[in-house]
Amino acid sequence: QVQLVESGGGLVQAGGSLRLSCAASGTIISIPAMGWYRQAPGKQRELVATGTSHGITNYADSVRGRFTISRDHTKNTVYLQMNNLKPEDTAVYYCTAEILREGIISVNTYWGQGTQVTVSS
């Protein structure tokens, strides 16, 4: 089995910063990509940022320049540094990873349980 465990969410004032972490565990061979999505109340889940094992990153226009995704490959962990937070960043943030597991021939997508980020004005 594979688990993605997120941490680092919370309540912050507008203009503040938070750092989210997500650690993958289990019978993992490789993780070609990890990333973050978010879902605000009444809205669809949307991409925030992704990062590949080759260092290619992608950001939503709404967060580019404020958020930074990074990975620690030795710990199977992805981070999301969020600066200059705005009330519209309030959402549940979900970690996702494309993982190749031992005994499984294909890469599958896994999701974390989500962590709440609330930005007050």
Side-chain angles (χ1 to χ4, degrees), residues 45-111:
R45 190 173 297 189
E46 63 176 4
L47 170 79
V48 176
T50 59
T52 73
S53 57
H54 299 292
I56 298 172
T57 57
N58 182 43
Y59 294 92
D61 289 342
S62 59
V63 307
R64 189 174 290 112
R66 300 188 296 123
F67 292 9
T68 303
I69 189 170
S70 61
R71 290 180 60 176
D72 184 336
H73 298 281
T74 65
K75 297 180 180 179
N76 288 336
T77 299
V78 63
Y79 305 95
L80 185 68
Q81 178 66 44
M82 305 184 292
N83 297 328
N84 191 21
L85 282 160
K86 304 176 181 180
E88 51 263 43
D89 294 318
T90 295
V92 177
Y93 283 69
Y94 295 92
C95 171
T96 183
E98 296 177 4
I99 296 175
L100 180 64
R101 291 175 52 196
E102 292 181 7
I104 307 294
I105 62 173
S106 62
V107 173
N108 291 312
T109 300
Y110 297 84
W111 292 87

